[in-house]
Amino acid sequence: MTLDNLKPQIKSIVSHSSSSIDDKLYTICELLEANVNHYDWVGFYFRNGDKEELKLRQYVGEPTDHTIIPFGKGICGQVAVSNENFVVPDVSAQDNYIACSITVKAEIVIPIFVNGENIGQIDIDSNTPDPFNEADERFLEFVCAEVATLLN
């Protein structure tokens, strides 16, 4: 299935009025992990109140010990500070990478903005070396924009 074919399903999940936000986030994680071969772990991190840290909210994939990530630490923590997409073709080449699993080869993190403020991000790990391209970035920006509508 192509990424563009997933867009209507993302919109449908977001607009489903009887589901909680957490249910919607989890369903998005499930949809992405199940339908994109190189998405092996999919999760949403959000700012933890007023603290300078991210807290894992919903995810699909191997369990992780990294439920709290300080701003600036790891790829997710760097995105919380930079407010920019971060594509990592080879995690072993990153000095500030937080290893979640020895099978992870690449990572992509896209921030979620509400009213111009970075309130969280989608984080995707891949067991495939260098799998992410511009199409992944644009698609995940779309996903984050849809998720933002749930949170403003």
Side-chain angles (χ1 to χ4, degrees):
M1 181 173 291
T2 69
L3 297 176
D4 282 340
N5 290 344
L6 293 173
K7 287 182 176 180
Q9 293 176 63
I10 296 291
K11 284 188 167 288
S12 176
I13 292 166
V14 168
S15 66
H16 195 265
S17 59
S18 64
S19 296
S20 70
I21 291 173
D22 281 343
D23 286 344
K24 291 175 184 185
L25 293 173
Y26 183 77
T27 302
I28 290 169
C29 291
E30 282 187 315
L31 177 74
L32 298 182
E33 191 272 337
N35 289 284
V36 184
N37 288 338
H38 57 281
Y39 291 9
D40 296 298
W41 191 95
V42 179
F44 287 98
Y45 284 91
F46 291 95
R47 184 182 186 118
N48 191 11
D50 291 335
K51 299 176 184 172
E52 295 285 305
E53 65 185 24
L54 298 165
K55 184 174 183 179
L56 182 60
R57 189 155 173 184
Q58 294 292 337
Y59 73 95
V60 170
E62 292 293 316
T64 180
D65 293 335
H66 304 290
T67 57
I68 301 289
I69 298 176
F71 281 15
K73 186 159 175 59
I75 308 307
C76 291
Q78 290 177 74
V79 169
V81 174
S82 73
N83 299 320
E84 295 178 2
N85 298 351
F86 200 150
V87 180
V88 182
D90 177 3
V91 295
S92 69
Q94 287 293 316
D95 291 339
N96 195 14
Y97 173 68
I98 300 172
C100 294
S101 167
I102 59 167
T103 61
V104 175
K105 305 291 186 225
E107 182 174 13
I108 186 170
V109 179
I110 308 293
I112 301 168
F113 295 98
V114 172
N115 300 322
E117 181 184 352
N118 181 349
I119 55 111
Q121 54 203 226
I122 190 168
D123 176 23
I124 298 178
D125 292 342
S126 181
N127 300 338
T128 305
D130 196 13
F132 303 114
N133 58 35
E134 188 174 335
D136 291 291
E137 276 194 83
R138 299 297 83 80
F139 171 69
L140 294 171
E141 288 169 350
F142 165 83
V143 171
C144 288
E146 289 296 311
V147 167
T149 66
L150 298 171
L151 305 168
N152 63 15

